[in-house]
Structures are given as C-alpha cells and as structure tokens.
Amino acid sequence: MCATNSFLKSLGVEIYASGHRRWPDEAKALAVSMTLEAGATVNAVAERFGILPNQLSAWRREAKQGKLVLPAAEVEDSVFAPLVVCKVAEEEAHPEVHPC
C-alpha cells in the first residue's frame, strides 16, 4: 500500500478497489484548513492528499458557503482583548420615564 493511501486511511477515507474514494467531512475540512495556513498552496495540499486541485477548490467553496465546517484554529499564545471600563453617568443609568 502506498504512503498516500495509508495517510488517507488514517483520516477515515474509504478507498475502493476501483480507486474511488469516499471522503468524510472531517478529512475534507482538514485539507481545506491546511490551505489556509501561511505559505500553503492549493496545489501543494492537493498533491499531499492525492487529489486534483479543482476538487480541493470545490471543498473550499463548500466551506465558504457554510456547508463544510472547518476545525478550530489552534492558538499558540493566549489571546486577550483590552477591556475599557468607564463610569456611566447617573442620567444614562436610570433614564426618567415621561408620560405621553
């Protein structure tokens, strides 16, 4: 068995005697997410997965349309957002209700 088939089977891809493959959504999502990494190209990722670049591009379209859910990106460092606290004026906190 070739290295590509071993790799694909480890991802859960079913490979039939005819050469046809059935790709689980998780494997498709992994391939698409790899194309989004810095410096990656669709051609290089497609070659690694043993598929044509246009097939990978179709999966990317599915992801953009929300039909394919990508895995969450791994964050190496903690990410923080600044918190700004300001005092709310008394009038804004309890606006008076005026009868009509």
Side-chain angles (χ1 to χ4, degrees), residues 28-29 31-33 35-36 42 52-70:
K28 293 177 184 179
V32 170
S33 67
T35 66
L36 302 176
V42 170
L52 295 174
N54 64 343
Q55 179 64 60
L56 185 50
S57 294
W59 294 345
R60 286 170 50 105
R61 265 190 308 281
E62 287 180 14
K64 287 179 184 176
Q65 295 169 352
K67 297 177 183 176
L68 184 64
V69 179
L70 301 182

Side-chain angles (χ1 to χ4, degrees), residues 34-47:
M34 290 175 70
T35 66
L36 302 176
E37 294 176 3
T41 64
V42 170
N43 287 341
V45 175
E47 184 176 337

